[in-house]
Amino acid sequence: MQFVGYDTDQPGLFVSHATGTDADAPYDVEFVSLDPGTELAYTLGERHCAGTVTDEGHISCSNPTAPYCPQHRSTWVCAKCTGTCLKDEMDCVEEHAIYLAAFAPDVFKVGVTKAWRLETRLREQGADRGALLQTVPDGRIAREREAEIAAEIPDRIRVPTKRAGLHRDVDGDAWDALLAEYDVDDADRFDFAYGLDLRDRPVAETIATGTVRGVQGRLLVLDHAGSTYAVDLRDLVGYEATAEATTRDVQASLGAWG
């Protein structure tokens, strides 16, 4: 089997399985839920390209580049847009939201998304808090406004930075001060809880064995052997796995020695 993808909206992993004995046939894909309390027991093996998933199933790829080789790597051109459309024809002609997101304790970013996806997009990124700044008629205007704000507030936050604050609360005073600059109404604010209940920073690790505490953005939080780990789901993609708990020695958290 191989981990070939993940979902952050309904947290879970996509695991491929061979169908029959035909090596060229598509693989069946199983969805493994990451609901709190789920017990995972996988040992990671070799890692290579995760291939692609179609309506027929998973098409494997032996290229050693992971998580995706150049043939299977997809690039969302809109992510590079700053207002000048990079497509042959502009198709983002629906309401877009410009938003701010907060990550504990005091890391903030600006972003844009389709207006109807705002709350979902904030959760996908693992934001602790969010705020709607403005709704505009299309994506071009939204990207132009985002680029202006990005001169002061970053538009990308790296996963290690998000991981570092999983056990902390948002600095409410700093967040309120930022929103005051943009005159954000209380009705346009979001506050998220992921139920991780962490007292200490989880250890960064790539494992798929343990009891799921929860998922925040693409960070899977697991309890295993007395320690708590934060696993970037993207780092699992491409790994072959066997359905048994890992016996590999992993770094223990300080709490494991208490």
Side-chain angles (χ1 to χ4, degrees):
M1 65 180 66
Q2 183 185 24
F3 293 122
V4 296
Y6 59 89
D7 190 350
T8 58
D9 187 21
Q10 301 292 325
L13 285 163
F14 294 101
V15 182
S16 72
H17 300 268
T19 56
T21 58
D22 185 352
D24 295 325
Y27 286 37
D28 290 334
V29 178
E30 173 191 3
F31 179 77
V32 177
S33 172
L34 295 177
D35 289 338
T38 299
E39 296 288 344
L40 297 182
Y42 296 96
T43 294
L44 303 182
E46 295 183 355
R47 193 183 189 203
H48 55 88
C49 177
T52 187
V53 177
T54 69
D55 291 341
E56 287 73 36
H58 168 239
I59 306 299
S60 64
C61 175
S62 61
N63 192 304
T65 305
Y68 300 102
C69 70
Q71 181 180 349
H72 294 109
R73 183 183 301 121
S74 61
T75 301
W76 185 43
V77 67
C78 295
K80 301 179 181 180
C81 177
T82 57
T84 301
C85 189
L86 302 176
K87 296 181 177 180
D88 293 334
E89 183 177 353
M90 177 176 157
D91 59 5
C92 56
V93 286
E94 62 178 292
E95 283 195 337
H96 278 61
I98 306 147
Y99 64 85
L100 294 175
F103 304 88
D106 56 2
V107 178
F108 311 124
K109 75 173 288 286
V110 63
V112 303
T113 187
K114 294 176 181 177
W116 61 270
R117 291 196 80 250
L118 175 56
E119 187 170 348
T120 297
R121 182 59 182 149
L122 288 165
R123 286 187 175 276
E124 285 176 346
Q125 296 182 65
D128 292 294
R129 298 187 186 181
L132 171 65
L133 297 185
Q134 185 180 5
T135 301
V136 295
D138 59 51
R140 179 185 60 79
I141 299 172
R143 289 295 185 182
E144 288 175 346
R145 179 64 175 138
E146 178 192 37
E148 293 171 0
I149 298 173
E152 302 293 335
I153 303 170
D155 57 1
R156 287 177 176 81
I157 304 297
R158 298 177 64 246
V159 168
T161 300
K162 297 177 183 180
R163 183 192 293 118
L166 285 178
H167 64 302
R168 303 185 64 180
D169 295 324
V170 172
D171 182 334
D173 291 339
W175 178 239
D176 288 341
L178 177 62
L179 297 193
E181 296 180 21
Y182 293 91
D183 196 25
V184 176
D185 293 335
D186 289 344
D188 292 327
R189 302 186 183 200
F190 301 85
D191 196 347
F192 301 104
Y194 299 91
L196 301 181
D197 191 25
L198 295 170
R199 295 183 180 180
D200 301 299
R201 180 191 299 187
V203 178
E205 187 56 85
T206 304
I207 58 172
T209 291
T211 304
V212 176
R213 276 185 181 245
V215 175
Q216 183 165 342
R218 72 183 209 207
L219 285 168
L220 164 64
V221 181
L222 290 171
D223 290 328
H224 170 62
S227 294
T228 301
Y229 299 93
V231 182
D232 186 342
L233 289 171
R234 191 174 189 273
D235 288 344
L236 290 178
V237 175
Y239 271 105
E240 295 181 359
T242 54
E244 57 186 11
T246 185
T247 57
R248 178 171 65 89
D249 289 334
V250 291
Q251 179 182 347
S253 63
L254 292 176
W257 305 103

